[in-house]
Amino acid sequence: MKGYIFDLDGTVYLGSRMIEGAADAIRTLRERGDKVVFLTNKPIATRASYAQKLTRMGIPTEIGDVLNSSLIVARYLQRTLKPGQRVYVIGEEPIRQELEAHGVEYTEDAGKADIVVLSWDRSFTYDKLNALYQASLRGAAVIASNPDVTCPLEDGQLPDTGTFIAALESALGKSAVVVAGKPSRIAAEEALQHMGLESTSCFVVGDRLETDVRMANDAGMHSVLVLTGVGTREQAEAGPDRPRTILPSIVKIVDL
Ligand SMILES: [Mg+2]
């Protein structure tokens, strides 16, 4: 049995358009008895909404088959929070819901936080940046949902969580953030645990070298770059994150 960890945007679909043949490829893997899970760094949508979107596009998917960076943060805090530690959240409703669902309570008072969850927040303000900075100066740990500096849209890009991390670290003059999403070890372990397989039995299929491919390589999984999203063959061959396999699209995954 093999495990397949699929990125979503740029790999399975592009915005609202399915990559041609993706549904058939995933059906073939499932019929073979292989395990399939979807792993996205995007923290501003719920796992339920991804499951619905995939199902609507012809890939029947349950919530449990979707892992996102909000879930990884919630599980990480559920495991590591010590009694009495207080969490402050910069982020949108989906990550707050995920924290609540995992029994992670949070305070609205950043001044009392021991841990700050930093996530994509389209209501980010100077006050939030300052709260983050002051908490970090006081020694609060900062856990970020994802490192992505931008998020691709159909007609451009938006600043993502990585820009907030950069702002904080620029003010501090040093690295100060633990990242939960891809390419972190935390994300790889979450996906492996979900599948119950050894890393050497798992493929990570994605379109980004610095997240999908790096996570796979760091965790000893088989990295597969698909050329339907942002990463190119030239970047793959020139850069530090070398995929083990490069495929034109997800369709060819069944032949590996
Ligand atoms: Mg992608």
Side-chain angles (χ1 to χ4, degrees):
M1 183 191 289
K2 299 285 185 195
Y4 293 85
I5 300 164
F6 288 104
D7 169 54
L8 287 175
D9 216 342
T11 302
V12 174
Y13 52 70
L14 280 167
S16 55
R17 187 168 59 81
M18 178 75 89
I19 302 284
E20 207 180 321
D24 286 339
I26 286 167
R27 188 181 317 116
T28 300
L29 297 179
R30 284 172 166 166
E31 283 172 0
R32 268 181 355 202
D34 292 329
K35 290 195 175 172
V36 170
V37 70
F38 302 98
L39 172 58
T40 174
N41 265 1
K42 197 170 170 183
I44 58 169
T46 62
R47 290 186 295 130
S49 70
Y50 288 116
Q52 285 158 9
K53 177 173 180 175
L54 287 164
T55 301
R56 214 168 43 233
M57 289 177 134
I59 302 173
T61 303
E62 294 175 11
I63 293 181
D65 296 327
V66 180
L67 307 178
N68 66 358
S69 56
S70 307
L71 175 76
I72 296 168
V73 170
R75 292 227 179 113
Y76 176 81
L77 289 180
Q78 195 180 39
R79 274 198 311 277
T80 59
L81 264 188
K82 298 187 186 79
Q85 283 191 317
R86 277 175 289 212
V87 178
Y88 175 74
V89 182
I90 295 172
E92 298 193 12
E93 200 48 38
I95 193 165
R96 291 172 187 274
Q97 284 174 13
E98 202 70 81
L99 291 170
E100 285 163 17
H102 288 78
V104 177
E105 293 173 18
Y106 49 84
T107 171
E108 298 301 330
D109 184 356
K112 296 203 172 108
D114 303 290
I115 291 161
V116 181
V117 170
L118 178 58
S119 187
W120 188 0
D121 183 344
R122 286 168 292 179
S123 305
F124 196 72
T125 59
Y126 183 82
D127 283 348
K128 289 183 185 180
L129 174 60
N130 187 37
L132 172 66
Y133 174 62
Q134 300 301 339
S136 190
L137 276 182
R138 276 193 296 103
V142 181
I143 177 152
S145 55
N146 58 305
D148 311 70
V149 286
T150 60
C151 179
L153 299 178
E154 270 154 287
D155 54 355
Q157 306 209 46
L158 286 177
D160 197 336
T161 310
T163 58
F164 307 149
I165 299 174
L168 171 67
E169 292 186 340
S170 172
L172 290 170
K174 61 176 186 179
S175 314
V177 174
V178 171
V179 170
K182 297 179 282 189
S184 80
R185 194 78 193 189
I186 302 170
E189 275 165 13
E190 195 65 53
L192 287 170
Q193 196 187 3
H194 181 85
M195 291 197 285
L197 294 170
E198 293 295 321
S199 58
T200 48
S201 302
C202 291
F203 297 82
V204 177
V205 186
D207 69 310
R208 267 189 197 267
L209 294 162
E210 69 277 20
T211 52
D212 303 307
V213 168
R214 187 177 302 171
M215 181 185 80
N217 290 349
D218 286 351
M221 300 189 264
H222 186 130
S223 52
V224 181
L225 178 74
V226 289
L227 299 175
T228 44
V230 295
T232 65
R233 183 180 294 277
E234 293 69 31
Q235 288 167 347
E237 284 165 359
D241 301 302
R242 304 280 172 98
R244 182 138 23 131
T245 304
I246 300 177
L247 297 177
S249 87
I250 188 176
V251 171
K252 294 283 180 198
I253 194 75
V254 297
D255 300 330
L256 274 187

